[in-house]
Amino acid sequence: MPLPPQLLSPLDTRYRAPMEALGEHLSEAALNRARVHVEVEWLIFLTNRSFFGSTPLSAEQQQSLRDIVTNFGQADIDELASIEATTRHDVKAVEYYVRARLAERGLEHIAELTHFACTSEDINNLSYAITVRDAVAKVWLPKARALTDRFAELAEEFRNDAMLSRTHGQPATPTTLGKEMAVFAHRLRRQLRRIEQTEYLGKFAGATGNFAAHRVASPETNWQDIAAEFISGLGLTWNPLTTQIESHDWQAELYADVARFNRILHNACTDIWTYISLGYFRQIPQAGATGSSTMPHKINPIRFENAESNLELSCAILDSLASTLVTSRLQRDLTDSSSQRNIGVGFGHSFLALDNVTKGLGEIAVDRELLAADLDHNWEVLGEAIQTVIRAEIVAGRSTISDPYAVLKELTRGHRVSRDELREFVQGLEIGDEAKARLLELTPGTYTGDSAELVSKLS
């Protein structure tokens, strides 16, 4: 027996709860609500300026029309679906829906101003700009900012916790755990600033972007100024040079920036996963949680693994949108219509990753004893410091050692060097007493340079 009709996307099933905030803006229903919003505002705009002998609507009539948008709900969603089943055209269905609302309010006399001089894309491009802008500003950005701030908080909390670095996965010059968290906070904040500066463009110039029908209907009107004023009133920026569609370049720019943010966060996830594997971070057991169906001891870093997967899916979708939306054959083709319906999916996978990383960071704790033990087990990383000091001493005329790099390479490369061995080596060096004293005081745990201070560079 076949299953009843099922949703395919896990964003709409397994992960539905965290998606509700995005669905308010990037769903099909939200798009239709935005279309109604644009149509209603265009009606009010035209009548307020008494176009073609119309008279301004009263404040009550205007509010009544705006209430259509404010109160847009399931009954309206169903009605639009029913109309579109006949029209086979989504924007035409919105026009008929708005006309029906005018009739209910005794405003049939302005019905022909509904969708006046508009091509479908005049409504669509503004609607997408509104919904994407609001989804980014009200949902995605607050979550991304909060997560980035959490990395900054961890940077401050761990700024003095010395940690062995692992360039190429091998022991290297120590750092602090806080400084490494600060690197991610800094990188993520740079991308957020770019995303915050996104310019949401809109066009409202008719079938091929030339105001042709507008000019015939009212030759004396400056339709370019009208379009700029109307679009500005919606909180968007007028794009004066377009074909039938707004060229979507702003969308490509935004999606590329969000994808770059995703990739930096992906890098953070893989590093944190590795720190967990090394034991630098301990995972805090969650009541009732199961790590493995057969191994009761396990606590798996699933928050970060889930985030990695969702970030990759988000980037795949956003990259596709960024590359395809900038191209439209001649004055218009319909490839963007299908593509843009996946904007919410691209942001949805990113948002799910933000949610998982946020929770994941709340379920780990630093193991300072292991950090210290790891450093104490790798005294050979001081080889860099010793050979650098020798070079300085040679230049200063306090040493005649030949090729200090080679000397330290012979001592340290490919094997462990104990604290005592290294101290004995330093004691025998031909360098000044002050330099020797500095090296004898140095430990892997104190060889962190300006790591702690660099955390303060976060802005």
Side-chain angles (χ1 to χ4, degrees):
M1 179 178 179
L3 293 170
Q6 296 295 308
L7 298 170
L8 290 177
S9 172
L11 296 179
D12 296 321
T13 50
R14 183 180 184 88
Y15 305 120
R16 182 173 181 175
M19 292 301 106
E20 289 182 1
L22 273 180
E24 184 65 26
H25 304 285
L26 295 180
S27 60
E28 187 77 12
L31 176 62
N32 275 331
R33 182 179 59 191
R35 287 164 167 161
V36 174
H37 171 58
V38 174
E39 295 279 13
V40 164
E41 291 303 320
W42 183 229
L43 272 169
I44 294 173
F45 185 94
L46 290 172
T47 53
N48 277 348
R49 288 153 185 79
S50 301
F51 269 92
F52 310 108
S54 62
T55 57
L57 300 176
S58 68
E60 292 77 10
Q61 288 171 322
Q62 290 186 33
Q63 186 59 53
S64 177
L65 290 178
R66 288 178 171 136
D67 285 345
I68 299 170
V69 181
T70 304
N71 299 325
F72 192 85
Q74 190 59 52
D76 306 282
I77 295 169
D78 295 341
E79 181 178 348
L80 273 169
S82 177
I83 298 171
E84 188 180 346
T86 300
T87 63
R88 302 295 179 91
H89 194 291
D90 47 6
V91 178
K92 199 64 178 177
V94 169
E95 178 188 345
Y96 289 160
Y97 168 87
V98 172
R99 283 174 176 262
R101 302 289 83 75
L102 291 175
E104 291 172 356
R105 289 158 174 77
L107 297 173
E108 296 96 331
H109 59 285
I110 61 168
E112 290 307 323
L113 291 179
T114 308
H115 203 69
F116 180 81
C118 295
T119 186
S120 297
E121 271 306 294
D122 287 332
I123 307 302
N124 274 338
N125 87 96
L126 299 181
S127 299
Y128 273 115
I130 289 167
T131 56
V132 173
R133 177 199 65 196
D134 290 351
V136 171
K138 297 178 181 180
V139 183
W140 189 89
L141 266 175
K143 190 80 167 178
R145 286 193 197 104
L147 176 56
T148 301
D149 288 346
R150 182 59 185 143
F151 275 105
E153 290 168 3
L154 292 175
E156 186 63 39
E157 182 180 348
F158 305 141
R159 68 186 300 159
N160 295 310
D161 289 314
M163 177 182 78
L164 186 69
S165 293
R166 292 182 181 273
T167 58
H168 306 278
Q170 305 304 307
T173 300
T175 182
T176 69
L177 182 55
K179 181 258 178 178
E180 300 311 306
M181 295 298 103
V183 169
F184 286 116
H186 178 62
R187 295 175 68 192
L188 293 170
R189 280 181 175 171
R190 285 193 69 250
Q191 300 312 312
L192 289 181
R193 285 194 289 270
R194 292 175 62 95
I195 293 166
E196 289 163 352
Q197 293 165 9
T198 298
E199 188 176 34
Y200 295 88
L201 302 181
K203 61 85 65 173
F204 209 63
T208 55
N210 303 323
F211 299 99
H214 308 63
R215 185 66 62 192
V216 173
S218 181
E220 70 282 1
T221 300
N222 187 330
W223 287 103
Q224 294 181 45
D225 286 352
I226 290 294
E229 183 182 353
F230 178 64
I231 290 170
S232 176
L234 295 173
L236 307 173
T237 300
W238 179 46
N239 184 349
L241 286 168
T242 72
T243 60
Q244 182 178 106
I245 68 167
E246 198 287 319
S247 304
H248 306 326
D249 297 344
W250 71 262
Q251 290 194 56
E253 293 157 5
L254 170 62
Y255 305 152
D257 287 342
V258 174
R260 195 177 307 108
F261 179 96
N262 285 346
R263 290 188 169 96
I264 294 169
L265 185 58
H266 187 283
N267 189 184
C269 289
T270 57
D271 274 14
I272 292 171
W273 187 99
T274 304
Y275 293 145
I276 292 171
S277 179
L278 291 169
Y280 293 174
F281 281 125
R282 290 181 289 102
Q283 295 182 94
I284 301 169
Q286 302 301 301
T290 297
S292 167
S293 62
T294 60
M295 295 176 280
H297 70 284
K298 294 195 73 181
I299 306 175
N300 295 329
I302 56 173
R303 293 293 186 188
F304 302 101
E305 293 170 342
N306 180 289
E308 286 181 45
S309 174
N310 279 285
L311 290 166
E312 290 160 8
L313 288 168
S314 175
C315 286
I317 295 167
L318 295 176
D319 286 347
S320 177
L321 289 170
S323 64
T324 61
L325 288 178
V326 294
T327 299
S328 185
R329 294 173 184 84
L330 304 179
Q331 282 68 54
R332 205 272 188 271
D333 67 37
L334 206 62
T335 53
D336 62 335
S337 179
S338 296
S339 296
Q340 288 180 106
R341 281 187 160 84
N342 291 280
I343 295 169
V345 181
F347 275 98
H349 284 291
S350 177
F351 192 77
L352 182 57
L354 295 176
D355 190 60
N356 272 287
V357 178
T358 299
K359 291 174 179 174
L361 291 178
E363 298 172 359
I364 56 175
V366 65
D367 189 331
R368 290 184 169 88
E369 290 184 4
L370 193 145
L371 288 178
D374 204 20
L375 287 163
D376 195 51
H377 193 55
N378 288 275
W379 280 76
E380 61 272 13
V381 297
L382 298 184
E384 177 197 38
I386 296 169
Q387 61 100 4
T388 302
V389 168
I390 294 173
R391 286 182 171 184
E393 292 294 285
I394 292 171
V395 173
R398 291 188 288 269
S399 177
T400 60
I401 295 173
S402 176
D403 196 355
Y405 179 87
V407 172
L408 269 297
K409 178 180 175 182
E410 181 179 350
L411 175 70
T412 61
R413 189 167 191 258
H415 56 85
R416 302 287 185 192
V417 178
S418 71
R419 172 182 176 276
D420 291 341
E421 286 178 289
L422 210 62
R423 287 179 62 84
E424 182 180 350
F425 177 81
V426 171
Q427 289 281 17
L429 286 175
E430 180 205 356
I431 57 176
D433 291 342
E434 183 182 345
K436 185 174 293 187
R438 288 200 310 274
L439 290 179
L440 288 172
E441 290 176 4
L442 194 62
T443 71
T446 60
Y447 184 42
T448 58
D450 291 346
S451 296
E453 181 183 339
L454 286 168
V455 173
S456 301
K457 297 297 182 182
L458 272 177
S459 58

